[in-house]
């Protein structure tokens, strides 16, 4: 995209059963301190925010359902009818409540990611402390390694048919 200001992603479509080979290649090629998986941050939604506040205020689950239903119909009415709940709502809405690994994203940088941006380990995977939007802002190259089942089916079909898979060399 010529209007895009940040560095573009590198998209790789591959058989799902070979994704780990690509990740390993990138890590081996650039070095473990210069590569990491991309951070995925989970945020709390409207309904989740109401659930958490209702739980903290020790209100009944039925009350929570009523508040959520009213909020879906009219946020203004819900706010005026339940001021105790909505006193906390805006401060909690869309806050990060979980961190995990993006299912396809991997960074490969010319600068040491550990020293410059920070990483953490989760289940044996080094994950960046910056998310996808921040990665674009600081111009770190990002690979999107997508496991496509149809590619695996084609590769397996070629093997069964005894013909060479087009990308095997």
């Amino acid at each position: 995209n010529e209007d895009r200001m940040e560095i573009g992603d590198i998209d790789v479509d591959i058989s799902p059963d070979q994704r780990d080979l690509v990740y390993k290649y990138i890590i081996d090629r650039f070095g473990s301190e210069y590569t990491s998986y991309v951070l995925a941050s989970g945020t709390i939604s409207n309904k989740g925010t109401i659930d958490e506040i209702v739980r903290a205020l020790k209100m009944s689950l039925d009350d929570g359902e009523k508040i959520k239903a009213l909020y879906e119909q009219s946020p203004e009415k819900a706010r005026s009818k339940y001021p105790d709940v909505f006193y906390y709502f805006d401060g909690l809405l869309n806050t990060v409540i979980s961190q995990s690994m993006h299912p396809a994203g991997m960074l490969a940088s010319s600068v040491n990611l550990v020293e410059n941006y920070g990483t953490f380990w989760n289940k044996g995977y080094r994950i960046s402390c910056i998310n996808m939007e921040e990665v674009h802002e600081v111009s770190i190259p990002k690979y999107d390694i997508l496991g496509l089942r149809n590619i695996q089916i084609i590769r397996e079909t070629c093997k069964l048919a005894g013909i060479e898979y087009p990308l095997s060399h």
Side-chain angles (χ1 to χ4, degrees), residues 40-56 68 71 85 88-99:
S41 301
T43 58
I44 191 165
S45 67
N46 294 341
K47 291 179 180 180
T49 300
I50 292 169
D51 286 339
E52 292 300 324
I53 296 168
V54 164
R55 188 176 8 264
K68 288 189 287 188
Y71 184 82
V85 170
Y88 302 100
F89 184 83
D90 293 326
L92 294 174
L93 181 64
N94 294 323
T95 57
V96 174
I97 58 169
S98 67
Q99 293 179 326

Side-chain angles (χ1 to χ4, degrees), residues 138-149:
V138 296
S139 296
I140 297 175
K142 180 171 76 67
Y143 289 86
D144 283 326
I145 302 163
L146 305 172
L148 301 179
R149 181 78 178 127

Side-chain angles (χ1 to χ4, degrees), residues 1-5:
N1 179 348
E2 52 194 49
D3 294 327
R4 185 175 182 163
M5 298 302 292

Side-chain angles (χ1 to χ4, degrees), residues 142-162:
K142 180 171 76 67
Y143 289 86
D144 283 326
I145 302 163
L146 305 172
L148 301 179
R149 181 78 178 127
N150 60 340
I151 293 175
Q152 185 170 337
I153 291 169
I154 293 167
R155 189 170 53 80
E156 291 170 355
T157 302
C158 288
K159 185 177 178 181
L160 288 171

Side-chain angles (χ1 to χ4, degrees), residues 7-169:
I7 191 169
D9 294 344
I10 300 162
D11 291 341
V12 179
D13 298 338
I14 192 158
S15 176
D17 66 346
Q18 294 186 313
R19 284 173 74 187
D20 287 340
L21 296 173
V22 176
Y23 291 134
K24 182 180 180 332
Y25 174 82
I26 293 169
I27 293 167
D28 290 347
R29 169 73 175 84
F30 295 101
S32 66
E33 293 186 346
Y34 295 84
T35 56
S36 73
Y37 292 87
V38 176
L39 173 68
S41 301
T43 58
I44 191 165
S45 67
N46 294 341
K47 291 179 180 180
T49 300
I50 292 169
D51 286 339
E52 292 300 324
I53 296 168
V54 164
R55 188 176 8 264
L57 295 176
K58 296 184 169 67
M59 298 171 71
S60 74
L61 295 176
D62 287 340
D63 286 339
E65 294 303 317
K66 290 176 190 173
I67 296 168
K68 288 189 287 188
L70 181 58
Y71 184 82
E72 283 184 11
Q73 293 173 355
S74 171
E76 297 79 25
K77 286 181 184 177
R79 286 177 181 276
S80 70
K81 187 170 182 177
Y82 300 100
D84 292 347
V85 170
F86 288 94
Y87 176 80
Y88 302 100
F89 184 83
D90 293 326
L92 294 174
L93 181 64
N94 294 323
T95 57
V96 174
I97 58 169
S98 67
Q99 293 179 326
S100 61
M101 182 174 82
H102 185 278
M106 172 161 265
L107 306 179
S109 177
S110 60
V111 300
N112 186 311
L113 295 172
V114 176
E115 293 175 1
N116 290 284
Y117 297 102
T119 62
F120 64 95
W121 288 94
N122 185 6
K123 299 179 182 171
Y125 298 103
R126 182 187 298 272
I127 302 172
S128 66
C129 288
I130 53 177
N131 65 30
M132 279 197 314
E133 291 77 28
E134 295 161 336
V135 164
H136 291 299
E137 289 177 23
V138 296
S139 296
I140 297 175
K142 180 171 76 67
Y143 289 86
D144 283 326
I145 302 163
L146 305 172
L148 301 179
R149 181 78 178 127
N150 60 340
I151 293 175
Q152 185 170 337
I153 291 169
I154 293 167
R155 189 170 53 80
E156 291 170 355
T157 302
C158 288
K159 185 177 178 181
L160 288 171
I163 59 175
E164 187 176 350
Y165 179 62
L167 302 175
S168 62
H169 47 267

